[in-house]
Amino acid sequence: MAESKGTLYLCATPIGNLEDLTPRALRMLREADIIAAEDTRHTRQLMTHFDLHGHLISYHEHNKEKQGPFLIERLLAGENIALVSDAGFPGIADPGELLVQQAIAENIAVVPVPGANAALSGLVASGLPSSTFFFGGFLPKSKKNRRLQLLEWKNVPGTVIFYEAPHRIKEVLQDILAAWGDRPIVLARELTKVHEDFFRGNVTEALEHLLEKEPRGEFVIILGAGEKQSEALPAGNPLDKVRMLMAQGIEKKESLVAVAKEYKIPKRELYNKLISEEKEEGEHK
Ligand code: SAM
């Protein structure tokens, strides 16, 4: 019997400039039985602009558990689905990843239809080394988890890319400065749009720039690698670092684990030092 399953097409859509929709993506959107969109309002605007009249269904972070099995059922029944994210390449920092995994588990063909992507657009124009890079997506929203995540990624040996919302960008840069120190940074803002701009400097300068000019629009944060990160051990007293993390509300145990990893010393050794210093401080009070 001939293969009757449908195909899941991952269609990149513009991140600002409508000319960035490729002719192939346009054809996929025109021909698909279903267009599964992260933000139906946004995609409807795209459809109106390109005179598309397909069957639009929402698929986003908050309905993916319910909609995923429904979309897989349609694919198994032979329908073709074009998945689009709010903007850019579906599957990069959006729920597309899960649907792709579910489709592969059912032996459904998954076909990328490439085009615009914010992370890569920012990286290639940043001027920072672009042959080795690490994409961190969105950092955790809670300050504590963000700092722990940053400590874990401190020694990534390449350029690092993050996505961030404008209202959180200053506090994220402050956390990056605290966890990684000053580094080269590029803030790529409003890519492909009329007000596209690139701030190039170091993290301290970027913070000053954002204090002068309230951040607006969409940002990609691109950070240069720290010097000789893979070998260099951090400077300063590890116990001070543990205390700093604890003062920021991170549990003693988590602080010890993070700092021991960063300084490449056994956790037990660090714990014993902390306890004996705490004892000494207690005696001197
Ligand atoms: N899947 C998309 C892609 O491949 O580009 C990214 C989706 S993610 C939910 C949205 C984030 O991408 C924004 O918060 C922002 O950090 C970044 N972004 C999207 N469009 C952008 C633009 N035009 N300029 C700068 N950053 C952008």
Side-chain angles (χ1 to χ4, degrees), residues 15-16 38 85 87-94 116-119 138 162-165 188-193 218-220:
I15 56 170
E38 190 183 7
S85 70
F89 213 165
I92 304 296
D94 64 40
N117 164 253
F138 288 94
F162 292 123
Y163 283 163
E164 197 45 83
R189 197 179 74 88
E190 295 287 82
L191 288 160
T192 78
K193 300 184 194 174
E218 296 194 278
F219 283 87
V220 179

Side-chain angles (χ1 to χ4, degrees), residues 173-219:
L173 294 193
Q174 275 154 0
D175 288 345
I176 288 173
L177 189 61
W180 293 0
D182 226 356
R183 284 194 187 190
I185 189 171
V186 176
L187 300 178
R189 197 179 74 88
E190 295 287 82
L191 288 160
T192 78
K193 300 184 194 174
V194 181
H195 297 293
E196 170 179 285
D197 70 50
F198 293 88
F199 173 87
R200 297 182 175 89
N202 57 32
V203 180
T204 319
E205 289 162 348
L207 274 164
E208 281 165 14
H209 168 75
L210 293 176
L211 284 177
E212 280 164 24
K213 202 170 174 219
E214 199 52 35
R216 287 226 176 84
E218 296 194 278
F219 283 87

Side-chain angles (χ1 to χ4, degrees), residues 69 149 220 240:
Q149 183 67 92
V220 179
D240 290 344

